[in-house]
Structures are given as structure tokens and as C-alpha cells.
Amino acid sequence: MISQTGIIRSFNIKDKTGLITCDLGGDIRFDAASINSACQPVSGSLVEFIMDDSASKLQAVNIRFI
């Protein structure tokens, strides 16, 4: 799996899900449980992550703030 970078576009505190705008284009969904930090996701934060397509839908995992 290859690491990607992007910016957190949005985060829903109630659902604990959000979207990352990838540097290569497009948006990818993420779940707060996939963040490797105790920090709260904030729009505009730069992150590094891995795209996981093993589930029924593509999502970001192993997310870390950079």
C-alpha cells in the first residue's frame, strides 16, 4: 500500500466520519478510528494516509497529521 497526502475537507463530530481531499485529486472518506493520534480532525489539516479498498468502499486508514 502506498501512502498518500491530502487535506481534511470536513469532519462530522456526531458521526465521527469525514472527507479528505487527496493531493492526486478526488475525495476519500475516513472514520475517526483510523486516525493515529489523539488530535481532533480539523478542516484544513494536512494528513498522510493509506487508501484501503478491502471493504465494500474505498476509505482512508492509518491517518496521521503532518
Side-chain angles (χ1 to χ4, degrees), residues 1-63:
M1 291 188 200
I2 299 171
S3 291
Q4 307 263 346
T5 56
I7 297 173
I8 294 179
R9 186 176 92 174
S10 63
F11 181 69
N12 184 318
I13 295 171
K14 291 181 182 180
D15 294 340
K16 297 188 188 238
T17 61
L19 291 173
I20 296 172
T21 299
C22 302
D23 287 345
L24 299 177
D27 291 333
I28 185 167
R29 183 187 170 283
F30 74 92
D31 187 284
S34 296
I35 298 173
N36 296 332
S37 172
C39 296
Q40 177 82 14
V42 177
S43 294
S45 296
L46 186 60
V47 292
E48 183 177 55
F49 60 94
I50 295 176
M51 284 195 202
D52 180 16
D53 62 356
S54 62
S56 62
K57 53 188 165 188
L58 188 65
Q59 62 182 357
V61 295
N62 295 333
I63 302 165

